[in-house]
Amino acid sequence: MAIKSADEGVTWSEPWVIIDDPDYDDRNSGVEAGPDGRIALCWDKYISPRHYGAYLAVSDDGGHSFGPAAKLGRIDDVHTRSRPVWVSDTRIIVPFSASLHDAPDAA
């Protein structure tokens, strides 16, 4: 879910759904506005007891809609814990890590 304020938090919009995959618990989301106003969103999918991938999507319209989600990393059992970081107008770093300590592809 998201809400927006145009007056530094005095009033807020009605909330709207950003992402909702009915087959997973979408969690650990992070959001960051880029230098050109686009918004990057990262999150991971979870069904107890494991994660099913970390994802990134970008919005060109203030977060009301997002482009296709890109799966991050090479293994499924990873999770996000922070916001994406815009390095430039076209590059984003998304911190994520393996959920298993002994995973050979741990990020």
Side-chain angles (χ1 to χ4, degrees), residues 44-45 51-54 72 75-80 96-99 107:
D44 56 78
K45 295 175 184 259
H51 297 267
Y52 288 87
L72 306 172
I75 60 174
D76 279 344
D77 204 0
V78 299
H79 57 271
T80 59
F96 66 95
S97 62
S99 299

Side-chain angles (χ1 to χ4, degrees), residues 12 18 20 22 27 29-30 33 35 40 53 64 67-68 73 75 82 91 94 96 98 107:
W12 293 91
I18 295 176
D20 185 18
R27 59 172 50 196
S29 60
H64 290 281
I75 60 174
S82 74
R91 292 182 174 244
V94 179
F96 66 95

Side-chain angles (χ1 to χ4, degrees), residues 2-95:
I3 57 175
K4 187 175 185 177
S5 175
D7 56 12
E8 299 186 19
V10 175
T11 61
W12 293 91
S13 70
E14 290 297 315
W16 69 91
V17 175
I18 295 176
I19 185 76
D20 185 18
D21 184 333
D23 296 327
Y24 295 91
D25 175 356
D26 302 304
R27 59 172 50 196
N28 301 324
S29 60
V31 64
E32 183 69 18
D36 63 357
R38 290 182 300 151
I39 297 174
L41 170 70
C42 64
W43 72 97
D44 56 78
K45 295 175 184 259
Y46 181 79
I47 297 175
S48 184
R50 67 185 298 262
H51 297 267
Y52 288 87
Y55 293 83
L56 172 74
V58 176
S59 173
D60 294 323
D61 63 3
H64 290 281
S65 65
F66 283 81
K71 187 173 180 183
L72 306 172
R74 298 180 301 201
I75 60 174
D76 279 344
D77 204 0
V78 299
H79 57 271
T80 59
R81 290 288 189 268
S82 74
R83 64 181 175 79
V85 178
W86 287 87
V87 178
S88 70
D89 286 349
T90 59
R91 292 182 174 244
I92 303 167
I93 295 174
V94 179

